[in-house]
Amino acid sequence: MCGIVGATGLNQVLPSLLKGLEKLEYRGYDSAGVYVNGGDAGDFLVKEKGRVSMLEAATKGKNITGTAGIAHTRWATHGGVSVENAHPHMSEDGRFYLVHNGVIENYDELRDTYLQGVKLQSETDTEVAVQLIDKFSKEDGVSTFDALRKMISLLDDNSAYGFLLMDRETPTLMYAAKKKSPLLIGVSDQGNVVTSDAAAMLDVTQDFIELMDGEVAIVDQNQVRLFDAQGQKLTRDAFHLDINASETDKGVYPYYMLKEIDEQVIVAHTLSQHYFDDEANIQNIDASIIEAIQSSDRLYIVAAGTSYHAGLVGKRYFEQWTGIPTEVHISSEFAYDQPLLSQKPFFIFLSQSGETADSREVLDNVVKQGYPSLTIANVMNSTLTREADFALPLLAGPEIAVASTKAYTAQIIVEAILAHAVGQSGLDLKNELAKVAVEMQVIIDQKESFKDIAEQALQNRRSAFYIGRGLDAAVAVEAALKLKEISYVQTEGFAAGELKHGTISLIEENTPVLALLTQSKTAGLVRGEIAQVAARGANTIVIASKSLAKTGDAYIIPDVNELLMPLLAVIPAQLIAYYATLDRHLDVDRPRNLAKSVTVQ
């Protein structure tokens, strides 16, 4: 979940490294550091606790010059948040500098076996790795490349890594290696770069070479050399990313989250245009995907966090429109406690980044068992899209805020389109999604309404509840996650009918209970449950669809087809979370202890 960036051959590398780190802060922001090889001017290593802005301030006045360097923004795993534990880590003699994303599971054993007498400066697994490289280089007399490969050979099978290494004796070279953690090599006439996310280096290049698991690369300012796990040379063409660097900027918005909430309208239009032709026929979904799903006897949606919540909505589409029983599973549980499967299962993986570690573990198991799989992700050329049998893009564009918004709605839309393609929805889905996009804009244009709701309901409150039934219950768990992950209001989301089975005991005077009410079949029941909590002192905030609304409801959602109401109902929840967080003077985009892309288990 850490962010890595490195470059060689740039005129002055420090500004590009710092700008790249700013783009990678969604991957971790406990601490940050940078190493620049300044040639005759010497080496520059600067590390700081906190945000990249703190690191940038620490570099001022140091006259850091150089054309090659590496940098890192950290989400703490081994060792607390401190300058000593920040990356890059340096070998004892100051020759090697290493940044790392991932976890070395057997680092204790390696330290005790090989590094007796070496004084470690940190508590991290990464420092063990760089000290091993230094040891092997000295004692075995091997090249930096071979010392790196030997260190990697000692890591156990459960370890994950994205390594980027520099040797002060070869100042223009970077050494990169990866397993289970994303790492890309960018190539350009200006120089070459290595990064854990292409968005960090779009100002330098839009052409990238993918590094696969087990591979090692030597990156110079003019060339890239790839090697497989056995040290044999490889060749691989670069792919071009058609993304403008400005798409990863906030522009006029104060926070990425607000920008990405607004962009959901564009995403809805983009997906409709991509997956439907002018006559509303399905396009860009290969017939083999449809056939594979149709021939299955059960679908298994596997995901984590917000993507899991999107899967709860998608389950309804697949079951109602295709007639295929569908299960939704949390990837971190499924990976180590696989349930009894049907005879002909088909797996659907949902992910924003395409690099979610828990989902990757499940996919590895699925591939070994020979079951067909599809990944729906926002980042094509990611590990999950590459290793599944099939892949479909979300086309949501870069999502930078830790709290996912547009990726969630994109996942629901693609699930709906796929279920429609496989089965019989009975809808003119292209037209229905066009209506959804229009009404999304209506809600977004009224965003100030949710500032008032957030202040009235949540100011100075420590806990809250979201309730609903059916599809509203699925949205409620996502709504609760949005609120708690950025405002730190402890929030539960659950099926409204479960109130009376224990949770209602938590209702006190003025406890906020936010009710989603968009499904006609259960509207009366939810109204009854709202009355039950109100009678016990709860502050009830009802968000209802126009056809089901009553006087006193806090916000009225425009009507669309009920099965597509989750696409609208979630937007008020996103905006309420946004304004509740602003009201607490917290960082909307960077909540504490969280990172955007969970690339370690």
Side-chain angles (χ1 to χ4, degrees):
M1 292 182 283
C2 304
I4 290 173
V5 66
T8 180
L10 304 188
N11 183 34
Q12 286 296 331
V13 75
L14 181 63
S16 292
L17 294 178
L18 291 174
K19 187 171 184 179
L21 285 188
E22 289 174 359
K23 296 291 181 69
L24 289 175
E25 273 199 305
Y26 71 90
R27 287 181 175 266
Y29 33 89
D30 292 331
S31 59
V34 61
Y35 164 72
V36 173
N37 188 301
D40 293 339
D43 297 300
F44 301 93
L45 177 65
V46 184
K47 305 197 287 187
E48 282 293 326
K49 282 176 58 177
R51 302 287 295 270
V52 172
S53 59
M54 302 291 289
L55 174 67
E56 185 172 9
T59 64
K60 300 295 186 184
K62 294 185 182 297
N63 194 30
I64 298 175
T65 61
T67 63
I70 57 178
H72 186 274
T73 181
R74 181 174 186 246
W75 189 85
T77 52
H78 292 96
V81 179
S82 67
V83 172
E84 292 77 16
N85 290 332
H87 299 213
H89 286 286
M90 179 179 68
S91 62
E92 194 175 32
D93 62 359
R95 176 181 171 184
F96 297 100
Y97 297 82
L98 182 70
V99 294
H100 170 217
N101 175 30
V103 173
I104 300 173
E105 296 286 356
N106 60 330
Y107 82 104
D108 278 334
E109 176 187 335
L110 294 174
R111 179 195 59 214
D112 296 343
T113 302
Y114 293 96
L115 298 179
Q116 295 295 326
V118 176
K119 184 177 180 182
L120 300 178
Q121 303 299 316
S122 75
E123 307 165 281
T124 68
D125 53 346
T126 306
E127 189 186 358
V128 170
V130 75
Q131 301 293 7
L132 287 173
I133 292 168
D134 187 45
K135 176 184 177 68
F136 298 147
S137 178
K138 288 176 181 174
E139 294 185 359
D140 299 349
V142 298
S143 67
T144 300
F145 174 75
D146 287 331
L148 172 62
R149 290 186 62 235
K150 181 172 180 178
M151 180 273 290
I152 290 171
S153 72
L154 297 175
L155 306 184
D156 69 9
D157 291 339
N158 293 322
S159 294
Y161 58 82
F163 288 127
L164 185 56
L165 173 73
M166 286 191 70
D167 177 355
R168 64 180 303 184
E169 294 185 5
T170 53
T172 66
L173 297 185
M174 298 184 295
Y175 301 84
K178 69 112 25 186
K179 176 187 174 185
K180 298 182 181 179
S181 292
L183 216 53
L184 298 170
I185 301 167
V187 293
S188 78
D189 294 336
Q190 303 177 56
N192 293 327
V193 302
V194 178
T195 178
S196 49
D197 189 325
M201 279 294 167
L202 289 175
D203 287 326
V204 177
T205 183
Q206 291 176 268
D207 297 312
F208 294 89
I209 298 170
E210 201 168 3
L211 201 59
M212 306 298 189
D213 279 1
E215 294 179 352
V216 180
I218 302 175
V219 182
D220 203 347
Q221 53 194 357
N222 298 315
Q223 65 174 330
V224 175
R225 287 170 282 170
L226 289 180
F227 303 87
D228 65 17
Q230 288 72 46
Q232 300 300 309
K233 286 187 178 181
L234 299 169
T235 58
R236 183 173 300 124
D237 292 335
F239 63 89
H240 183 77
L241 275 181
D242 191 18
I243 299 175
N244 192 298
S246 63
E247 292 184 47
T248 64
D249 293 330
K250 290 196 295 284
V252 299
Y253 288 89
Y255 289 97
Y256 281 108
M257 183 179 179
L258 189 62
K259 175 177 182 279
E260 290 158 10
I261 289 171
D262 282 8
E263 287 174 343
Q264 290 173 111
V265 179
I266 299 170
V267 172
H269 284 302
T270 300
L271 288 170
S272 185
Q273 291 171 358
H274 180 77
Y275 286 111
F276 290 105
D277 65 17
D278 292 341
E279 283 72 45
N281 298 310
I282 290 291
Q283 62 180 6
N284 293 319
I285 299 179
D286 195 276
S288 58
I289 298 176
I290 296 172
E291 292 167 4
I293 295 176
Q294 288 174 335
S295 65
S296 68
D297 62 1
R298 188 170 294 265
L299 304 181
Y300 295 83
I301 299 175
V302 179
T306 286
S307 297
Y308 169 74
H309 299 159
L312 297 175
V313 177
K315 169 183 166 70
R316 174 72 71 86
Y317 302 149
F318 286 112
E319 290 196 333
Q320 187 157 329
W321 295 347
T322 72
I324 303 172
T326 302
E327 299 179 11
V328 188
H329 290 271
I330 297 171
S331 54
S332 59
E333 290 295 307
F334 196 103
Y336 302 100
D337 189 15
Q338 180 174 298
L340 183 64
L341 302 178
S342 64
Q343 292 296 310
K344 294 187 291 182
F346 186 91
F347 285 83
I348 298 174
F349 292 86
L350 298 180
S351 174
Q352 190 283 134
S353 66
E355 300 290 350
T356 310
D358 297 318
S359 294
R360 285 199 59 195
E361 190 71 26
V362 179
L363 180 55
D364 286 345
N365 294 337
V366 166
V367 170
K368 289 174 184 175
Q369 294 172 84
Y371 297 130
S373 58
L374 161 72
T375 292
I376 300 173
N378 200 29
V379 182
M380 301 303 278
N381 297 303
S382 60
T383 304
L384 284 169
T385 59
R386 187 178 65 249
E387 294 183 354
D389 296 299
F390 310 104
L392 292 175
L394 292 174
L395 303 175
E399 189 178 65
I400 307 299
V402 166
S404 178
T405 52
K406 62 179 181 175
Y408 171 81
T409 50
Q411 287 170 339
I412 291 175
I413 290 170
V414 174
E415 288 178 296
I417 293 171
L418 179 60
H420 171 82
V422 172
Q424 297 292 325
S425 71
L427 300 177
D428 180 352
L429 189 57
K430 182 180 182 182
N431 185 54
E432 294 293 341
L433 289 174
K435 294 178 185 176
V436 166
V438 170
E439 303 302 357
M440 278 180 167
Q441 190 64 62
V442 169
I443 298 171
I444 288 168
D445 287 344
Q446 298 172 350
K447 58 170 64 74
E448 289 295 319
S449 303
F450 302 106
K451 179 180 181 182
D452 296 336
I453 292 173
E455 290 177 356
Q456 182 268 328
L458 297 166
Q459 197 168 60
N460 301 318
R461 306 306 302 180
R462 293 177 58 86
S463 62
F465 298 90
Y466 266 100
I467 62 171
R469 281 182 178 248
L471 285 173
D472 288 335
V475 177
V477 295
E478 170 61 13
L481 176 60
K482 288 285 101 48
L483 183 56
K484 64 187 169 189
E485 71 179 326
I486 62 172
S487 76
Y488 316 146
V489 175
Q490 186 171 345
T491 312
E492 288 188 55
F494 55 93
E498 287 297 290
L499 274 168
K500 64 182 71 70
H501 296 289
T503 306
I504 201 167
S505 68
L506 298 175
I507 300 299
E508 300 175 335
E509 192 68 25
N510 290 322
T511 298
V513 177
L514 298 99
L516 303 177
L517 205 160
T518 71
Q519 305 296 300
S520 57
K521 184 177 180 180
T522 56
L525 293 168
V526 176
R527 288 289 180 188
E529 284 138 3
I530 293 168
Q532 290 172 30
V533 294
R536 288 157 177 83
N539 178 13
T540 57
I541 302 94
V542 180
I543 299 169
S545 58
K546 183 177 180 181
S547 59
L548 301 175
K550 289 188 177 182
T551 302
D553 290 347
Y555 186 78
I556 311 304
I557 303 173
D559 282 323
V560 296
N561 186 284
E562 279 196 4
L563 288 171
L564 301 177
M565 284 301 298
L567 294 166
L568 299 187
V570 76
I571 297 176
Q574 295 167 347
L575 288 165
I576 288 169
Y578 174 82
Y579 285 113
T581 305
L582 285 186
D583 191 48
R584 285 164 169 74
H585 307 291
L586 300 170
D587 189 331
V588 173
D589 290 336
R590 304 288 181 266
R592 66 189 180 205
N593 302 331
L594 292 176
K596 177 73 173 177
S597 181
V598 184
T599 58
V600 297
Q601 295 191 61

